[in-house]
Amino acid sequence: MERDTKIPSREEIRDILELRHGKEIQQKLSDARVAVAGLGGLGSNVAVQLARTGVGHLHLIDYDCVDLSNLNRQHYFIRHLGKPKTDALREQLLEIHPYLDIRTDTVKVTQDNVAELFTEDEIICEAFDVPENKAMLVNGIMEHFPEKYLVCGSGMAGFGDSNAIHTRKVMKRIYLCGDETTEAVEGRGLMAPRVALCAAHEANMILELILNIMQQGGN
Amino acid sequence: MITVNGKPEELEGSVTVKEYLESKQYRTDRVAVEKNGEIVPKSRYEDTKICQGDCLEIVSFVGGG
């Protein structure tokens, strides 16, 4: 028999997060606005980690639906097959933290909509799959929003060599996570542990931006 | 001399960002370029010259996510 679970109140969840993370820290996390562009292996895992941490305003962007071929590494379940990733992920994030402010855009990010799509976000997590799309987003953000922070992923295919995955500041307000070389090719595909490692680097960098770098007004 | 991704490099003659990227086998549709701390928009690769003393940061993306 299924047990009825009472949904905890907003205050209960806030208190427990403050107890774990510290009151001041949690306030900054609750106030932060982060966009996740691409909800595949990187983006879905980044979003889950940010939701668990209580990052208050999340903006999820992806045009695609959950496919069986995604389940080897992306944070979705059988019940989500065929659903837009934005909806499937929002559903999960609200099960983790029911009081998050989650905006979704089920659209393909292009050169033409970058300027309107990201106006409200302070930090943008690049979590696309195709390298041309990664470059397009980074170039678009740099041109339209030089004041915003970008955290990108590049190089996380295969298995092993965990320590090759790193985080590096590559430009003013742009950080790159990954091994920077291992792309997904036939015979060396994307696998859950290494993709999740890279996603954790991105999420962890986002916390550092929210809690340290942006507080000091730095780059 | 110029500096590319933190390393010094000889610059022979005068080249544009586009020419430089191509000479180093970069895929121009997979990179982002900063020159002396400022972004070089893709539309300007062809007419942006690299001069002695310039400092370039080039990020090149690989697939997977």
Side-chain angles (χ1 to χ4, degrees):
Chain A
M1 238 177 63
E2 245 182 72
R3 197 166 60 90
D4 273 344
T5 314
K6 186 178 155 285
I7 295 176
S9 71
R10 183 185 286 271
E11 290 68 31
E12 279 176 286
I13 289 185
R14 187 200 59 206
D15 290 351
I16 215 82
L17 286 171
E18 286 182 359
L19 198 64
R20 291 277 170 188
H21 301 156
K23 197 177 164 74
E24 248 181 80
I25 285 177
Q26 199 54 48
Q27 191 56 53
K28 288 171 191 160
L29 293 169
S30 305
D31 292 342
R33 317 187 78 89
V34 180
V36 183
L39 305 177
L42 290 176
S44 62
N45 283 302
V46 167
V48 165
Q49 290 174 17
L50 297 180
R52 288 198 191 283
T53 319
V55 172
H57 307 270
L58 295 174
H59 182 188
L60 311 176
I61 306 156
D62 200 302
Y63 68 96
D64 214 357
C65 292
V66 180
D67 182 82
L68 190 56
S69 64
N70 299 150
L71 298 192
N72 77 322
R73 68 191 191 282
Q74 305 186 14
H75 208 290
Y76 302 104
F77 301 101
I78 294 287
R79 70 172 191 272
H80 296 126
L81 292 175
K83 266 193 175 188
K85 289 183 177 178
T86 45
D87 295 343
L89 193 56
R90 189 214 325 248
E91 173 199 302
Q92 297 181 70
L93 302 188
L94 292 177
E95 284 178 39
I96 294 168
H97 188 322
Y99 306 103
L100 294 174
D101 164 37
I102 301 175
R103 170 183 164 191
T104 58
D105 276 300
T106 309
V107 295
K108 191 167 171 60
V109 180
T110 67
Q111 261 175 6
D112 303 321
N113 63 12
V114 166
E116 48 168 329
L117 214 44
F118 296 97
T119 42
E120 290 174 12
D121 311 303
E122 301 167 308
I123 300 172
I124 294 126
C125 174
E126 180 283 309
F128 290 147
D129 186 22
V130 178
E132 286 79 1
N133 293 342
K134 291 173 180 285
M136 178 273 298
L137 179 64
V138 173
N139 280 286
I141 298 294
M142 286 166 85
E143 280 182 51
H144 295 290
F145 304 108
E147 78 286 2
K148 295 188 192 285
Y149 294 86
L150 245 171
V151 180
C152 313
S154 183
M156 77 293 301
F159 60 92
D161 211 356
S162 299
N163 293 346
I165 307 258
H166 57 263
T167 300
R168 181 168 78 90
K169 182 175 190 216
V170 288
M171 292 179 187
K172 197 162 52 187
R173 304 198 171 194
I174 303 182
Y175 297 81
L176 187 64
C177 304
D179 66 18
E180 301 190 45
T181 50
T182 317
E183 63 183 320
V185 291
E186 218 181 302
R188 190 187 62 207
L190 296 159
M191 300 172 91
R194 225 159 176 268
V195 174
L197 265 173
C198 189
H201 269 260
E202 290 199 87
N204 204 23
M205 187 65 230
I206 290 166
L207 297 191
E208 199 179 341
L209 284 167
I210 296 168
L211 296 172
N212 288 338
I213 297 169
M214 285 166 60
Q215 299 298 323
Q216 296 150 9
N219 291 316
Chain B
M1 293 290 278
I2 57 170
T3 308
V4 182
N5 294 343
K7 293 188 186 115
E9 240 180 61
E10 288 293 340
L11 176 72
E12 288 170 26
S14 165
V15 294
T16 65
V17 170
K18 182 170 186 275
E19 288 163 345
Y20 179 84
L21 291 172
E22 284 170 355
S23 74
K24 300 286 178 185
Q25 267 92 50
Y26 280 105
R27 296 270 305 259
T28 55
D29 54 351
R30 293 184 176 187
V31 299
V33 180
E34 202 179 58
K35 188 173 82 117
N36 302 330
E38 300 295 330
I39 187 209
V40 182
K42 261 191 200 314
S43 56
R44 306 294 306 277
Y45 284 1
E46 244 172 302
D47 57 21
T48 301
K49 290 254 187 245
I50 299 174
C51 303
Q52 294 294 341
D54 276 350
C55 187
L56 290 183
E57 291 294 334
I58 303 165
V59 182
S60 185
F61 291 96
V62 301

